[in-house]
Amino acid sequence: MPVAGYGPAELGSIGEVMAEFAAVPDLLAQRAAEHPDRLYATEVAGRSVTYAQVWSESRQWAAVLGEYEVSAGDTVLSIHDPSITAFEVWMGTAALNAIEVPVNTEYIGDLLTHVVTNSQARVLTCSARHLPQVLAVRDACPDLRSILVSGVDSVADVEGIADVQGIDVVAVDPLVRAAAPLEDVAHPQAWDIACIVYTSGTTGPSKGVMTGWGHIQEATFGMAPRRGFCTPDSVIYDPYPTFHVSGKGGYVASIFGGGRVVIREKFNTAQFWNDIREHDCTSVLLMATTANFVAGQPPRPDDADSPLRYVMFSPWIADVEGFKERFGVEAYTNFNMTEICCPIVAGWDNEVITDPLACGKARPGFDLRVVDDHDREVPTGTIGELVLRPDEPWKIMAGYWKMPEKTVEAWRNQWFHTGDLFTVDADGVFRYVDRKKDSIRRRGENISSMEIEKQVVAHPAVLEAAAVAVRDEVSGEEVKVVVTLNDDATLQHSELAKFLDDRLPRFMRPRYIEIREELPKTPTSKIRKAALREDGVLPMTWDRTTAG
């Protein structure tokens, strides 16, 4: 698959290495052959491996999975925290041209049962810490035959293991260590499925996004800009879960660039700069609130004295230019979701960023439109849903696993519907407005929750904010804002209301305000607005109409 729209000068080392399609496993094998002793991955709290070691160990996993009758096209469930092992399970599965199904490590009960049963996998791999949640749902998962547990040499002491009937539960690490690396490995093509990534269900069960190897490659091009982000000298810091595309990104981009990835099990604000400096990290993706956590730390004289040089924001924070100056970095952003591959990018020309909701311009190789509810293109500057399609096959998702009706719905009229509201100006700059389902309609006015949140976080005491709709018999919906505060900051509800009154038109001003210690989050640090909407008006909620 040629890299549409980009030449080597634009893509730097990625363009030079990946002028034609090559699946990640084949490129990993190439790196291992050419630079066997080059360090590939380091766990902050664990081990390090070279390219040769990780490829050899991945093929040992493949040999073991083969013994459990995993073959091409089969699904393999994987429940692992971010780690070298999680990556090796993926590559070992790929060596058989089987399909990895990475599972949200926090899933339990019905959520976990849905993913296990919908995937139709017979084999599941997990770290020992996650075995109890798997055993709790095993009776509801009739297809599951084998559970391969890592991190222990014996499962005999695992709580509840004695009661397990009709399923094979084994400690896999001794098997992997004893296995000879598989020699006759598969060579996946762009259309072969690399993994099935389940997206969070908001109005129904989670959907499994069939992510092909061509999709993985194209998403990496969009996530890893040129000019140093991803080169042989790059060290990419990755503290995100591998059941999410962004979490896989650091592992994959490091292989494309020929550099190294540094893995932390979970993002930790207090340890962020220590990790960056100790491991000489040059590049990082900062997602949503993680960026605000980093920016919200008290200034230090040595803020710019670190190896970090390249930051991909997703999305922009409010003061991008201030962040760049303070920390001495270049900054980029993109618009992406699990189903697509960063079709909109900004910052690649190091332009000055003044609008945090501006996602950038279309990346070559994609046709983008902003349309109304009937898929008719709207006038320039008008809000509508972003729809898109690539100019070559296999660049975006292959569909939703075992949900053909959802695939047809998303692809209606031969355009992929993102479910996101955008505007596009005369210069082709796309500006994010809101998730279609998160927009608020109050007394006939459509309100962007993102626009409200932008003004709320401008208050110096506010760390993060979420604006959601609350049902109201008179207005249809009222605006509720939920915030957390910076360390040691204090703020009165009425003070924040007055601050917003000076910044927002009357119809956008929140009626309800809550100040909390924390907001509900997904494992990838996104605010769970659905949970906030379900809360409605609580006893703790401040109401401007009844406040004295």
Side-chain angles (χ1 to χ4, degrees), residues 368-383:
L368 280 64
R369 294 183 182 178
V370 178
V371 302
D372 64 15
D373 289 340
H374 303 287
D375 289 350
R376 298 173 300 184
E377 196 163 4
V378 300
T380 300
T382 303
I383 295 174

Side-chain angles (χ1 to χ4, degrees), residues 465-542:
V468 297
V470 174
R471 293 298 304 166
D472 182 81
E473 292 183 2
V474 176
S475 302
E477 292 179 337
E478 284 287 353
V479 179
K480 172 180 169 180
V481 167
V482 187
V483 305
T484 63
L485 305 182
N486 289 308
D487 291 343
D488 301 324
T490 59
L491 181 64
Q492 298 297 316
H493 299 88
S494 57
E495 179 186 348
L496 179 57
K498 177 62 171 64
F499 177 82
L500 296 175
D501 288 351
D502 295 336
R503 290 170 168 262
L504 294 172
R506 184 180 299 275
F507 71 90
M508 293 180 69
R509 295 171 189 167
R511 173 178 172 179
Y512 302 109
I513 297 175
E514 289 177 11
I515 299 175
R516 299 190 183 185
E517 291 187 2
E518 60 181 3
L519 296 177
K521 302 282 184 60
T522 70
T524 50
S525 298
K526 292 183 179 179
I527 297 171
R528 295 175 52 228
K529 287 191 174 182
L532 296 176
R533 283 192 292 267
E534 290 172 3
D535 287 343
V537 179
L538 302 173
M540 64 181 287
T541 308
W542 181 86

Side-chain angles (χ1 to χ4, degrees), residues 119-404:
S119 70
Q120 299 180 332
R122 292 177 288 104
V123 175
L124 180 150
T125 75
C126 68
S127 55
R129 67 191 294 183
H130 298 299
L131 180 58
Q133 66 208 69
V134 176
L135 295 180
V137 302
R138 70 188 188 279
D139 291 340
C141 306
D143 291 330
L144 196 58
R145 291 288 180 267
S146 302
I147 302 176
L148 311 183
V149 185
S150 69
V152 293
D153 283 340
S154 172
V155 296
D157 297 328
V158 176
E159 184 178 351
I161 197 69
D163 299 327
V164 174
Q165 302 293 330
I167 193 169
D168 193 15
V169 183
V170 299
V172 71
D173 289 359
L175 303 180
V176 172
R177 288 195 296 265
L182 185 70
E183 295 295 338
D184 186 17
V185 298
H187 300 283
Q189 299 301 306
W191 48 84
D192 290 318
I193 305 303
C195 51
I196 299 172
V197 180
Y198 280 81
T199 61
S200 300
T202 54
T203 59
S206 299
K207 301 188 292 292
V209 178
M210 293 190 287
T211 305
W213 291 108
H215 182 177
I216 292 287
Q217 174 183 293
E218 196 64 36
T220 304
F221 291 160
M223 286 192 293
R226 64 186 190 277
R227 292 203 314 274
F229 193 101
C230 182
T231 72
D233 297 323
S234 298
V235 181
I236 299 177
Y237 186 63
D238 191 341
Y240 302 114
T242 51
F243 55 78
H244 193 281
V245 171
S246 59
K248 291 183 180 296
Y251 299 76
V252 175
S254 294
I255 295 173
F256 281 0
R260 180 163 62 101
V261 60
V262 172
I263 305 161
R264 175 172 277 279
E265 189 172 291
K266 187 176 183 180
F267 185 88
N268 185 315
T269 306
Q271 294 299 321
F272 178 80
W273 287 113
N274 292 338
D275 289 347
I276 294 295
R277 291 183 170 93
E278 180 179 349
H279 297 283
D280 294 320
C281 299
T282 61
S283 310
V284 69
L285 166 67
L286 289 179
M287 296 183 60
T289 53
T290 61
N292 289 321
F293 289 155
V294 173
Q297 294 298 294
R300 292 174 25 168
D302 63 346
D303 274 341
D305 183 17
S306 88
L308 190 65
R309 291 294 175 264
Y310 309 97
V311 177
M312 170 63 77
F313 288 102
S314 183
W316 289 128
I317 58 172
D319 184 13
V320 179
E321 294 303 316
F323 189 101
K324 290 164 61 178
E325 181 177 358
R326 174 182 171 186
F327 296 110
V329 298
E330 292 188 23
Y332 318 92
T333 195
N334 58 48
F335 167 72
N336 198 37
M337 55 194 298
T338 305
E339 290 89 337
I340 56 178
C341 56
C342 310
I344 302 173
V345 295
W348 288 30
D349 296 319
N350 213 23
E351 67 266 28
V352 173
I353 307 301
T354 58
D355 184 351
L357 297 183
C359 297
K361 297 184 178 182
R363 198 156 61 90
F366 299 91
D367 191 2
L368 280 64
R369 294 183 182 178
V370 178
V371 302
D372 64 15
D373 289 340
H374 303 287
D375 289 350
R376 298 173 300 184
E377 196 163 4
V378 300
T380 300
T382 303
I383 295 174
E385 182 179 3
L386 179 70
V387 299
L388 61 92
R389 55 192 180 193
D391 63 358
E392 293 184 354
W394 314 115
K395 282 187 176 181
I396 65 176
M397 76 161 188
Y400 295 114
W401 177 262
K402 303 300 180 183
M403 291 185 177

Side-chain angles (χ1 to χ4, degrees), residues 73-147:
D74 289 340
T75 50
V76 176
L77 291 152
S78 173
I79 311 180
H80 296 271
D81 297 304
S83 60
I84 293 168
T85 295
F87 177 74
E88 290 177 346
V89 169
W90 184 26
M91 292 297 100
T93 304
L96 300 167
N97 211 4
I99 304 169
E100 185 217 20
V101 184
V103 182
N104 188 319
T105 54
E106 294 191 3
Y107 275 7
I108 58 175
D110 290 344
L111 289 172
L112 179 57
T113 299
H114 167 68
V115 173
V116 175
T117 55
N118 182 252
S119 70
Q120 299 180 332
R122 292 177 288 104
V123 175
L124 180 150
T125 75
C126 68
S127 55
R129 67 191 294 183
H130 298 299
L131 180 58
Q133 66 208 69
V134 176
L135 295 180
V137 302
R138 70 188 188 279
D139 291 340
C141 306
D143 291 330
L144 196 58
R145 291 288 180 267
S146 302
I147 302 176

